[in-house]
Amino acid sequence: MTQRVELATVIDRLAVDGLVTEYAVAVDDGDWEAYRGLFTPDGRADYRSAGGIEGDAAQVAEWLAENMRLFAMRQHLIVNRRLRFGLLEQDTGDTARVQADYINPMRFAGDAGDDGGSTAPDLVCGGRYAFGLVRTDDGWRLRHVVVHEKWRRTPQPRHEPATT
């Protein structure tokens, strides 16, 4: 591999990593216009394993906008990113696959944390994303996102010791 090819690969890796981060930020911040803009025109997302829907990016953004209102706080972290570049019309590097684990703590709207009380999450879930990306004239975009939720936990309230 030439130094020029290696540099291009590093630049692509950074761009793909940035796109995955933008995805997390758009979901956590509820920026559904930005979310839709991360996808190709035919881009799709599949949240069925987490109790959601599968559809084109606009449909899924609408569903997320409605359902994420339940949570005043969302902060999912995407880690252990495994990136593989692929072929598109015989051109290496114009597609990519990312497999990445996530953990997602969320707090329900209206909980004590909204007015300065506890900020502990009400729901924490984790799993693995499968991202499919393609290079476009506008840069890297998501062609598909599949959520594979592996676990979910609702923290139990702590009980105060009984006083006598």
Side-chain angles (χ1 to χ4, degrees), residues 26-162:
V27 173
D28 289 345
D29 290 352
D31 187 344
W32 309 118
E33 182 177 340
Y35 176 91
R36 286 187 296 274
L38 299 173
F39 287 83
T40 60
D42 62 343
R44 300 186 69 75
D46 183 348
Y47 288 78
R48 291 178 293 183
S49 77
I53 67 166
E54 187 277 334
D56 66 46
Q59 292 169 318
V60 173
E62 187 176 312
W63 177 83
L64 284 168
E66 181 65 31
N67 286 277
M68 291 296 109
R69 283 186 217 163
L70 298 172
F71 301 100
M73 183 274 295
R74 301 182 293 274
Q75 185 181 28
H76 76 287
L77 307 170
I78 302 177
V79 299
N80 300 335
R81 299 172 193 207
R82 180 182 295 163
L83 169 60
R84 301 288 185 260
F85 289 106
L87 297 173
L88 179 65
E89 299 175 11
Q90 308 300 318
D91 195 359
T92 301
D94 280 342
T95 65
R97 290 178 294 118
V98 176
Q99 174 183 300
D101 296 327
Y102 71 89
I103 185 165
N104 186 8
M106 297 183 284
R107 187 181 68 243
F108 289 114
D111 281 357
D114 295 337
D115 61 7
S118 170
T119 58
D122 296 307
L123 173 69
V124 182
C125 59
R128 181 166 288 157
Y129 280 110
F131 295 98
L133 302 93
V134 64
R135 184 193 317 269
T136 71
D137 291 339
D138 297 320
W140 287 95
R141 294 293 181 265
L142 298 168
R143 182 172 275 167
H144 69 267
V145 175
V146 180
V147 175
H148 301 282
E149 187 175 275
K150 294 182 176 185
W151 59 271
R152 181 178 290 203
R153 178 174 58 93
T154 305
Q156 300 299 317
R158 291 188 178 165
H159 296 288
E160 296 295 322

